[in-house]
Amino acid sequence: MSEILNKPEVAKIYIDARGPRFGAAITTTVLAIALVTQSTWLLAVQGLVFFIGAVRGPQFTPYAFIFKTLVKPRLKKEAPTEDVRPPKFAQAVGFGFALVGVLGAVAGSSAVFTVAVGMALAAAFLNAAFNYCLGCEMYLLGLRFTSK
Amino acid sequence: MVQTMNDVKHIQVDAESHLELVRELDIRSTPTTIFINKDGIEVGRAAGTPKREQVLEALEAIR
């Protein structure tokens, strides 16, 4: 359908759009448990997943591995593709919240932990439930304002 | 899908390498699909991946 996908340098930055949403569903669950149990360790683990997603890309996280091996083979429809850069940025935003939450907890502030986890949880839930990726929406808007 | 329609041309533009255009057309998220009629005038747009029926409907309205 699209000429741009035939170019190898462009095609390699396109990923299966269902992957990040599946990842967001796991993220939502993990963050919800972290919030309820006030577990700094669990948030740190999620932060590590965000870190991998932000640095290497959301298609390289452990959640993406689960998607590729267990979920994707069961999906029958043709894979919708999306540009990897917005979800990659969203992972970086998630990492930021996780980092703030962990640092807050280490510093002894459960309020900072709760707010940071709560915001990351809200964003992950929006993505999982409604396929609305807040970080992705911020990405292009951010670029519009920050670069010439 | 528009490949089967010989009177429709589909062009994909990488938003990040055309930020000036992005600002000019007020593109807020990717992907955004803009429908342009034969006079080069925008007649509709869809933010996010449009459904097959939506594309068909929009194209039908232009013809």
Side-chain angles (χ1 to χ4, degrees):
Chain A
M1 169 168 170
S2 50
E3 297 152 18
I4 197 167
L5 286 177
N6 295 332
K7 295 181 183 166
E9 73 274 15
V10 175
K12 74 178 178 203
I13 60 169
Y14 275 76
I15 57 168
D16 188 332
R18 301 166 300 188
R21 191 176 179 185
F22 174 77
I26 303 182
T27 303
T28 303
T29 311
V30 170
L31 288 175
I33 296 171
L35 189 64
V36 172
T37 61
Q38 294 279 303
S39 167
T40 309
W41 281 110
L42 198 53
L43 181 61
V45 169
Q46 178 58 51
L48 186 65
V49 173
F50 278 142
F51 184 76
I52 299 167
V55 175
R56 289 204 64 204
Q59 72 273 43
F60 297 108
T61 64
Y63 302 168
F65 180 76
I66 298 172
F67 173 76
K68 269 175 224 165
T69 51
L70 294 177
V71 182
K72 196 177 163 91
R74 286 158 217 263
L75 298 174
K76 299 240 154 49
K77 280 188 183 169
E78 194 189 341
T81 56
E82 73 172 333
D83 190 326
V84 75
R85 291 167 291 186
K88 192 175 177 187
F89 175 75
Q91 293 282 303
V93 176
F95 175 71
F97 279 119
L99 189 65
V100 168
V102 169
L103 290 177
V106 169
S109 170
S110 64
V112 170
F113 176 90
T114 302
V115 170
V117 176
M119 288 174 90
L121 173 62
F125 175 75
L126 279 179
N127 194 355
F130 306 109
N131 206 16
Y132 185 82
C133 173
L134 207 55
C136 308
E137 298 297 321
M138 285 162 51
Y139 180 68
L140 192 62
L141 285 180
L143 275 184
R144 279 177 56 165
F145 287 117
T146 54
S147 50
K148 285 176 185 167
Chain B
M1 142 186 162
V2 290
Q3 265 174 359
T4 56
M5 309 173 191
N6 49 21
D7 57 343
V8 179
K9 178 136 181 74
H10 176 243
I11 301 166
Q12 197 161 355
V13 179
D14 178 35
E16 271 179 57
S17 40
H18 299 86
L19 284 172
E20 232 167 80
L21 204 56
V22 162
R23 278 185 279 256
E24 199 180 315
L25 295 171
D26 195 26
I27 307 291
R28 288 167 201 176
S29 66
T30 54
T32 294
T33 307
I34 299 180
F35 297 94
I36 298 165
N37 68 11
K38 62 177 167 25
D39 301 317
I41 294 168
E42 178 181 336
V43 288
R45 64 168 67 188
T49 310
K51 289 196 175 71
R52 191 187 158 80
E53 300 76 54
Q54 291 175 309
V55 175
L56 289 175
E57 221 170 272
L59 290 177
E60 205 50 52
I62 297 176
R63 279 173 174 164

